[in-house]
Amino acid sequence: WAVSPARNGSADAGVLRDPLRWNTVPQPVRLLPWPELGLGDYSGVARYTTRFTLPSSVPFVELSLGGLAGTARVEINGATAGHMLTADAVVRIDADQLSEENTLTVEVANTLSNFYAHLPSPYSTMQMPSGGFTSAHLELGVLPIDVVYAVDG
């Protein structure tokens, strides 16, 4: 058997010739679980980027991500600073990786549960769809008072 569309390029064609692909552009978003952002079916990686300013006297900062659902890779100014495998993980970023103007990038990867959640599969009920994180905090390593900054681009 050979299957082809009834009319090439027609809206009523019954066969897809190529994989579906889409392009996205960076957009400001609130820090919410992926299903609340309309990404309940998305399994994969999302990249979050924000910029922040620090005084030059800061010896280090510690990044924590509240509500992390998945795993995260943290970059500061283009260099990998660490990985987070659990929601309570903290990445320490030392002064030699920091400057006054900084770019923080967090790549979050979730599981295939979002993909399987709506398919007839034994995996569809194993885990609720999830992904992303709901808050980000930088604690400055300055004694005696630590200041907490919310980083939500």
Side-chain angles (χ1 to χ4, degrees):
W1 291 89
V3 179
S4 61
R7 289 181 240 146
N8 193 11
S10 172
D12 62 352
V15 175
L16 299 173
R17 290 183 169 266
D18 295 307
L20 293 176
R21 299 177 195 270
W22 63 91
N23 294 319
T24 61
V25 293
Q27 295 291 318
V29 296
R30 293 181 44 218
L31 297 177
L32 296 169
W34 289 356
E36 292 180 38
L37 293 171
L39 299 172
D41 295 337
Y42 178 71
S43 290
V45 178
R47 176 180 285 203
Y48 298 78
T49 303
T50 192
R51 291 170 180 77
F52 63 94
T53 304
L54 285 177
S56 58
S57 61
V58 173
F60 67 90
V61 297
E62 290 184 338
L63 173 69
S64 59
L65 301 175
L68 176 63
T71 60
R73 185 172 74 87
V74 177
E75 285 183 6
I76 189 75
N77 302 321
T80 300
H83 296 84
M84 297 176 161
L85 303 177
T86 62
D88 60 351
V90 174
V91 170
R92 179 184 165 120
I93 304 168
D94 290 317
D96 61 341
Q97 295 177 284
L98 297 168
S99 58
E100 287 189 29
E101 298 293 324
N102 298 278
T103 300
L104 175 65
T105 302
V106 178
E107 288 184 344
V108 177
N110 67 349
T111 68
L112 284 172
S113 66
N114 291 18
F115 175 77
Y116 284 118
H118 303 290
L119 298 176
S121 161
Y123 306 108
S124 63
T125 58
M126 291 179 67
Q127 183 177 344
M128 293 297 297
S130 63
F133 55 96
T134 56
S135 66
H137 297 281
L138 286 176
E139 290 196 25
L140 305 185
V142 180
L143 296 176
I145 299 171
D146 285 61
V147 180
V148 178
Y149 287 85
V151 181
D152 52 6

